[in-house]
Amino acid sequence: MKIFLLSAILCFTFLNLAAQKNGSITGILADSANHNSTLNYATVSVYKAGDSILTTYKLSDDHGVFKINGLATGLKYRLIITAWQYGIYRKNVELSADKPILDLGTLYLSTKSNDLNEVIITAERPPVIVRKDTIEFNAASFKTLPSAVVEDLLKKLPGVQIAADGSIMVNGKTVSKILVDGKEFFGGDQQIATKNLPANMIDKVQVVDDKQAKRRNPDLTAAEIPQVINLKLKKAIKKGAFGKLYAGAGTKNLYQAGGLMNFFRDTTQVSVLAYGNNINQPGFNPNDVQRIGGFNRSGVNSMMMSSGGYFEFNGISFGGSYSGIQTSSGGGFNFNTLTKKGIKINTQYFFGRNDNLLERLTNTNQTLGEDRLVTNANENTSSLTLKHNIAGKIDWQIDSLTQLTIEPFLVLNSNNSVSTNYSTNTNAAGQLLNTLQNLNNINSANNKYQLLADLSKDFKKAGRSFNIGLDISTKPNPGLNYNQSSNTTFLTPSTTEIDQLRNNQIENFRTYIYTNYSEPINKKLNFKIDLSGNIINNENALSTFYKNQANQLYDIVIPNLSQTVEQTGFKTNMNVSLNYKITKDFNLQPGVVHNYISLNNRFSNANNLNQRYHFIWPTFQLKYKIFRINYSAQFTEPNVSYLQPVADNTNALYIRNGNPNLLPARTQNLSLNMYKYDPQNLINYNLYGYGNFTKNGIVNTINISNGVQTVTPINASGIYSFNGGANGAKDFKFNKTSLKIGLGFWANFNHLPVIVNNIRSNANVFYVGPNGSIRLNLNDVVEINQSYAINLNRSRYQDNFYTNLSYNTQSSTSELIIGYPKKVVFETNFALTANTQQIAGYNNNIKLWNAAITYLFMKNDKLQLKLAVNDILQSNVRRSIEITGNSVVDYQTNNLGRYGMLTLTYNIQNFGQKVGGRQTMFSF
């Protein structure tokens, strides 16, 4: 906190001093043909006279006004003003000490004519161009280090925020995918593109709405529509190859190696990659990190709901682990081409292998009136995961108004893990209740077969549109669990031993069909209808066997632990609405939704259960300028895994029951969004809030006897939750110095029942997290980044049987990058995490310090030698805490600890050569 405050004070002092010494230029931009029509989002670029290096820039606001601060007096400047569909405006200006503020008044721009002889001056390209539905950044205007990748470039763009996990937001909107020259790049996987493509290969960065996401879900508000980033490569790369090869060795027998190559020829692009390391580093995608193995045996009591499908990353895990020690390897290829008929074709294949060793300590502290149940678990899991991903995409622009997209997917994912767990239960007096020794040998798979198809049609009549789509998927997930456990109870002395095999075959099949039609009634009124249907066919087949001592095989069936559950049926949704445009900035869209669900739950050893429900409910949307409010309702069927009536006894201290009588949940959703990008002041901010109210939601009831917990899911009403937050960032530019300050706040509130030993209490759980960040760049020689966040966690209960819980966590990250002397880059970062939970044997203050130095050599810095030291202070562990139900659950996991690594990277850049003959694009 002290570091963050000191950095903020220094930065604001710097800003004040700079503002006192510099002048400014203001003006208004208007259409020369219509003096009353101002030009918003035009780019005003400032260059020093006789210099081609950009000094600064601003965009005009909604009223055509621009103001450029931080300009030095006594210098001559050249203004270049560009606006979409208008000609370029140039003007030379000069600021003096006597007149540091220059008001240019109203400047008139003429509509651009189609002049074939127009000369384009590359040096005068504006840093930002805002078209009708696209924001385009000129990459050359945002200087990066020679070794920079796309992620480093994106961090410098106004309105762009990149989280620690690599996820990206633009002006408060989530980025759904990244394209390269308009084509899928490794399935649109963001991390592969941002962390591996060299920044100096990029000509333009374009940001547009994800139109496909809007077609598939027409109810998305403007603030909820994800963004797509398209990286336009330099013209010289249209025929050529680029990529990188790297290899490194370190202490403790650690290593890393890999390569990524991209080949371009006319309208065809081929990318291949391969990697391997044992340093917990992502090969190419840290966002798909998996914590493999381990079991949630801590008595979780939380609302669990399923919409009948699963969210899954469109890609493969390429390694990387926050906790544990991991060895990962993988490879794949990506192929894009554009046919003569304008059909875009993409195919891809990935293979990934992860070996992970996870050591985890878990402390769970449950409040039970005057008593407590404290569970301490020591877990050790070794696992191997293999994953194949085959995918394709056909994108056909049939005509200017019709588009067809077809996307097949195939994912084959197998996991083999061996987990040993030793846990103890004690009461408030410290008296030992039970001990458990558990061994689980699991062979499981998580496969997926999916086909997506989408056809959209616009009509000549403005506002009329039609869309129809299909999503078919099946997910067969077989699992074999060889379970051996020994449970000793001390209050009622007994020992129970289990040696069994659980064969659990779960398969989820669904067919989702959707269509929507929009028809304008008049200039202010638009009719809209959305229809969707979901065919459900899920199965959970469980067979349990004891080990036969005679032949050492698991072939003795246990009837009371074997059951097959089939869930079939369908659900429909029809939403009819009218969009009324009251004014240019004010829209109301009231509507009515009809939901119907029909479920048939069949059991091999129990009575069948048929369920039929429907309801008619109002919907509502309001749009006013930057504000969006949306209200809707829907049915959610219980996941078939919760319907399995057979108990899961693989952990004798935490037995999980199913409930075949679970009902579908009815949920009402409310969302509020506001986002704004102020181009004149380089400020972007957003405000969001989401709430849901659930009837017949699913919660767990817990019964505790002699330290043994038995958990059963039931339906409950009166469940609601809210989450929201606000984020803002401002960019400051002074000649060759830039500063970016960001502030954020998020909060979650959950209200749900907690039921332990038939004592019910409503729990109110709060999570609050303010945060801030500062990024200072001095002429691309020195860069200082500082962030700080605090999380306040509280739970309050209505019944005195439960004790209120609270803890705080603080985290701070400091980063310093120095690019001096030439060809040398020094970087270091220090992260501190501290919390108020005091547990013996747990580290409350985890300090992680990394440092590296890189030397660049050869022409264009093609070769880089990097010496890095990880975890200099030898923290070795990671820690996380959460409140669930009446418990505080505290995790501490192992990590690699301190090591050194020397890595050599060779950047391959081969462009502009003649393709064919001896000089081919495959020669380096």
Side-chain angles (χ1 to χ4, degrees), residues 810-826:
Q810 300 182 65
S811 59
S812 172
T813 302
S814 307
E815 183 180 32
L816 172 66
I817 302 173
I818 301 176
Y820 185 86
K822 192 176 181 179
K823 302 291 185 178
V824 176
V825 178
F826 171 78

Side-chain angles (χ1 to χ4, degrees), residues 235-247:
K235 290 184 178 179
I237 307 176
K238 302 302 181 181
K239 291 185 179 181
F242 74 92
K244 70 175 183 179
L245 302 173
Y246 68 91

Side-chain angles (χ1 to χ4, degrees), residues 29-31 37-42 60-65 83 86 109:
L29 304 180
D31 189 333
S37 177
T38 57
L39 304 182
N40 60 341
Y41 302 116
S60 59
D61 65 12
D62 294 339
H63 303 288
V65 178
Y86 286 84
L109 275 66

